[in-house]
Amino acid sequence: KDLFEKTQIGEYLGREPDYQGGFALMVLHAYVDQLSFEGMVFDDAIRFYLSGFRLPGEAQKIDRIMEKFAERYTLQNPTVFPNADVAFILAFSIIMLNTDLHNPAIKEERRMTKEGFIRNNRGICDGGDLPEEFLTAIFDRIRENAISLKEDDEAREKAGE
């Protein structure tokens, strides 16, 4: 069993830049800088990144956490996106897609469609579009396999027994 609660880790990593004199931000940077995303498919890299903690609910905290991920991913995979901003926007979009597709409170007819996901990501690549096949493949993988913590999956399985 982990020594730290994954919700608390996510809350801490997403703290304001000036919290504790910037120490929480330094922890986020040190944590991300020791991870390797080299050669990973983008949404697999997000899964790997988010396996260590639970994303906080606050958008500003998610921004900080995913911005650092996007910088690191782009640094290690320089041919995937032209810059970290594109990776950041798509990463945030994937987080929203995951919630939309897998939140039981959202009715089936209100869920994001593949076309809607592609439309939402138009123009994010320095005014241009990412390849439709790239976005379609991401949509399909997220639809088939939610981004979730292993502990949550195990708890759901146990509850279903």
Side-chain angles (χ1 to χ4, degrees), residues 8-23:
Q8 291 175 328
I9 295 169
E11 286 292 330
Y12 188 79
L13 293 176
R15 294 300 303 238
E16 310 71 45
D18 60 351
Y19 180 73
Q20 294 182 325
F23 186 72

Side-chain angles (χ1 to χ4, degrees), residues 93-112:
S93 180
I94 289 170
I95 298 301
M96 293 189 312
L97 173 67
N98 186 69
T99 300
D100 190 89
L101 291 179
H102 299 288
N103 184 336
I106 298 175
K107 294 179 181 165
E108 192 65 38
E109 65 272 8
R110 309 267 313 156
R111 293 191 189 278
M112 175 79 63

Side-chain angles (χ1 to χ4, degrees), residues 6-17 19 23-32 35 49-50 52-56 60-66 68:
K6 291 192 175 186
T7 300
Q8 291 175 328
I9 295 169
E11 286 292 330
Y12 188 79
L13 293 176
R15 294 300 303 238
E16 310 71 45
Y19 180 73
F23 186 72
L25 185 64
M26 288 188 283
V27 170
L28 171 64
H29 286 224
Y31 173 68
V32 177
L35 296 174
Y49 180 50
L50 297 180
F53 60 91
R54 183 184 311 281
L55 265 181
Q60 287 178 320
K61 290 181 178 185
I62 296 171
D63 273 0
R64 281 188 280 278
I65 289 170
M66 296 313 292
K68 184 61 183 163

